[in-house]
Amino acid sequence: MTVLSDPLAPTSAFAIEADGLSVRAGRHVAVERLGLALDTGVHGLLGPNGAGKTTLIKALATVVRPHAGTLRLSGVDADRGDLRALRREIGYLPQRFGFYPRYTAREFVEYLAWLKEMPRDAVPAAVDRALDRVGLADRADSRMKTLSGGMVRRVGIAQAIVNDPRILLLDEPTAGLDPEQRVSFRELLREVGGDTCVVVSTHLVEDVAAACEDAVLLDRGQLVFRGSIDELEAAADDVGDATASTFERGYSALLRDHRERVGA
Amino acid sequence: MSPVDTWHVPDALLDRFAAVDGAALPAPEQWSVEAHLERCPDCRARLGRAMATRSPELLAVVEDVRAGLDARISALPAPARRRWGARRLTGGLLISRLLACVAVLAAATLLDLVAASGGGAAPSWLLLAAPVLPLLGVAASWSRALDPAHELVAATPAAGLALLLRRTLVVIAVVVPAALVAGAVTEADSQAAWLLPCLALTAAALALGSITGIARATALAAGAWVAGVVVPALALQDTPAALEPAWLPVWCALAIVAAGVIALRRETYPRMMER
């Protein structure tokens, strides 16, 4: 990649830039020599279980430190740069997160807004707006422990977007949402993606097909495919389940090709 | 964009713009006046005055709406934000975890009272337990296993030394007074003798935490205390030497060294939560 070859070149505009990135999950190398540049827009992160999606998202969220390669977020080296300033620009929804049961939804999002060092005056309005955007305005003052799983997930999304991040990382955001909520969540994604780099990890291919501009396909820690939804669908062939959507068949075909290449 | 201050809406034009009756401006002129008004606070102020003379009835409608809105907004229940300050202070510290620390103190006090009524001269359980209790609280506030929102907190800019110290101070503010009260109840001779070891151990754990992570560091510090002080004290059935006044300089030195390490390594704390 010519963009990355000159270390003294002015920082590029990419929100996320990984070069030769390797990340461990425990002792296992879950992401291996990944090169990827992502900019504003909604990017779907796809792959079978164990492909390294969650580990990659954790590294992008600066929660796990890569053991090799470089990672630049908003042009800042995540390893040596000003981590604190960088983290103010990040919104992160982990695959699983716990909460403080006695907090109300509003208090929980407020607490995270405070941890994100948002200006004090901006917090109340930003929290109300975030809860409203995930459709929880009417449950804002309910205790977290009284909320359903899908609602807790939406509080998680609210805390991720509360600081209007430039990089929004969502790990399985639609898990636990009912079909109607998933549709309105996709609308939210498209809205946020207008001026934010959104990375959505999911195993639900229809979420990606419906809400993402492009897809990043991982398998066993390696990049299999990066391209538009159309390109992914164009990879579909006639092998396998004929009732599957073009998108699903494209996904399977790309994975199969990659495994054959790696195996060969 | 044209400079705002070179041109302003002439009085006559503004006057016609302000009129809602028959003298209204043609649409294109209205738009250009509107475009200027959006950028020019002076002309907006002049428009307000012109409205007052030319269209008082319209102004009255606006005032009506404003008064109605104000009344309805003030009638709404005030948002519940009273607990917010406290939430921020105790965030990440589950009450159940703090209560567990206090419960251990209560148990130690009870054992001491039982031993005292039996006339035994065993080492005070309270003295042995109090120095390590804040460690348990600190570990609980800052570990993947015990802070439920750890993963969320770790990705925020606040994750670092300041937040760690804040949580540590809250733990100490709960545990130390509780231990002092317990000491008063048991009427131990040197009831504050544990205070300095307690602070030194906590500081040492925080310092070590910058290298090993807080969970491991607190376990190591607590383990060292149990192996070096609690076990010998129970074996010898005597108050441990480490709690004698002769040891105060040692604890002092440990606390100072630990504080120095924390200050030197303060930049590493934001990354400390990582696996």
Side-chain angles (χ1 to χ4, degrees), chain A residues 20 22 33 37 40 66 86 95 98 126 133 135 138 144 146 150 152 156 195-196 203 209 222 240 243 263:
Chain A
S22 296
R33 291 194 297 278
T40 303
L86 193 56
Q95 191 169 30
R133 287 177 97 176
D138 55 333
M144 292 288 283
T146 68
V152 169
D195 57 358
T196 307
H203 64 276
Q222 292 179 330
T243 60

Side-chain angles (χ1 to χ4, degrees), chain A residues 34-211:
Chain A
L34 184 79
L36 189 64
L38 298 174
D39 216 342
T40 303
V42 185
H43 313 282
L45 187 57
L46 283 167
N49 289 332
K53 302 187 295 285
T54 291
T55 306
L56 176 59
I57 293 241
K58 281 182 186 215
L60 297 179
T62 73
V63 174
V64 172
R65 199 171 192 168
H67 77 90
T70 56
L71 174 64
R72 300 176 76 81
L73 300 169
S74 293
V76 178
D77 189 318
D79 200 41
R80 278 163 294 179
D82 182 353
L83 198 57
R84 192 166 173 181
L86 193 56
R87 282 175 173 167
R88 290 195 193 110
E89 308 291 338
I90 294 177
Y92 172 43
L93 173 73
Q95 191 169 30
R96 275 190 299 268
F97 70 95
F99 50 84
Y100 308 128
R102 296 175 61 83
Y103 280 42
T104 65
R106 186 198 306 279
E107 285 167 341
F108 190 71
V109 179
E110 268 178 346
Y111 184 60
L112 267 300
W114 175 72
L115 289 177
K116 292 177 184 204
E117 301 184 336
M118 291 181 67
R120 198 192 183 92
D121 302 343
V123 169
V127 169
D128 284 348
R129 178 157 175 268
L131 286 168
D132 188 44
R133 287 177 97 176
V134 298
L136 278 179
D138 55 333
R139 299 300 301 269
D141 293 310
S142 305
R143 295 248 170 126
M144 292 288 283
K145 63 182 170 190
T146 68
L147 299 180
S148 72
M151 287 177 181
V152 169
R153 201 84 201 128
R154 284 188 279 155
V155 174
I157 297 167
Q159 68 77 29
I161 60 174
V162 72
N163 55 329
D164 282 328
R166 274 157 66 184
I167 298 174
L168 179 59
L169 308 161
L170 304 169
D171 199 353
E172 298 284 356
T174 53
L177 301 193
D178 63 36
E180 194 190 344
Q181 289 162 356
R182 273 172 60 197
V183 170
S184 60
F185 171 71
R186 288 172 196 164
E187 275 166 34
L188 174 67
L189 269 191
R190 282 191 289 265
E191 201 181 300
V192 174
D195 57 358
T196 307
C197 173
V198 188
V199 181
V200 191
S201 138
T202 179
H203 64 276
L204 300 170
V205 288
E206 62 268 31
D207 280 340
V208 175

Side-chain angles (χ1 to χ4, degrees), chain B:
Chain B
M1 193 179 267
S2 66
V4 170
D5 53 351
T6 51
W7 184 85
H8 291 287
V9 186
D11 283 335
L13 192 60
L14 196 68
D15 201 48
R16 284 181 65 198
F17 185 81
V20 282
D21 50 22
L25 284 173
E29 286 186 50
Q30 265 187 24
W31 297 336
S32 77
V33 172
E34 275 170 11
H36 175 77
L37 285 171
E38 276 173 14
R39 289 179 291 129
C40 181
D42 292 345
C43 286
R44 280 203 299 273
R46 286 169 57 221
L47 176 67
R49 290 193 291 275
M51 291 286 291
T53 52
R54 288 300 302 265
S55 307
E57 65 289 345
L58 187 62
L59 216 56
V61 171
V62 172
E63 280 306 320
D64 254 16
V65 171
R66 185 210 298 265
L69 276 179
D70 281 350
R72 283 168 69 176
I73 288 169
S74 60
L76 289 173
R81 299 202 193 285
R82 274 163 294 136
R83 284 188 310 228
W84 174 224
R87 284 280 186 250
R88 209 162 48 182
L89 197 65
T90 59
L93 294 161
L94 299 187
I95 290 172
S96 56
R97 310 267 149 81
L98 289 174
L99 284 179
C101 289
V102 175
V104 172
L105 269 182
T109 311
L110 214 62
L111 284 174
D112 280 357
L113 288 175
V114 169
S117 66
S124 160
W125 286 97
L126 185 60
L127 279 180
L128 295 178
V132 283
L133 273 182
L135 287 177
L136 303 181
V138 171
S141 76
W142 206 264
S143 68
R144 198 168 289 277
L146 295 171
D147 176 5
H150 179 88
E151 178 102 13
L152 287 175
V153 176
T156 66
L161 184 59
L163 188 63
L164 177 60
L165 288 180
R166 180 189 282 263
R167 291 182 172 187
T168 303
L169 284 178
V170 174
V171 172
I172 288 178
V174 171
V175 174
V176 167
L180 286 173
V181 168
V185 170
T186 57
E187 295 167 340
D189 305 332
S190 51
Q191 56 155 289
W194 53 269
L195 200 55
L196 195 57
C198 169
L199 294 178
L201 273 180
T202 307
L206 294 186
L208 193 60
S210 73
I211 302 161
T212 64
I214 287 296
R216 237 175 257 164
T218 48
L220 280 171
W225 175 263
V226 170
V229 178
V230 177
V231 169
L234 292 179
L236 301 172
Q237 284 295 304
D238 195 10
T239 298
L243 289 168
E244 300 291 347
W247 268 67
L248 284 182
V250 176
W251 293 117
C252 243
L254 178 62
I256 290 167
V257 169
V261 171
I262 292 171
L264 283 175
R265 294 187 56 83
R266 61 188 180 278
E267 298 298 335
T268 65
Y269 286 88
R271 298 196 181 273
M272 193 191 57
M273 293 185 126
E274 301 172 16
R275 250 187 275 214

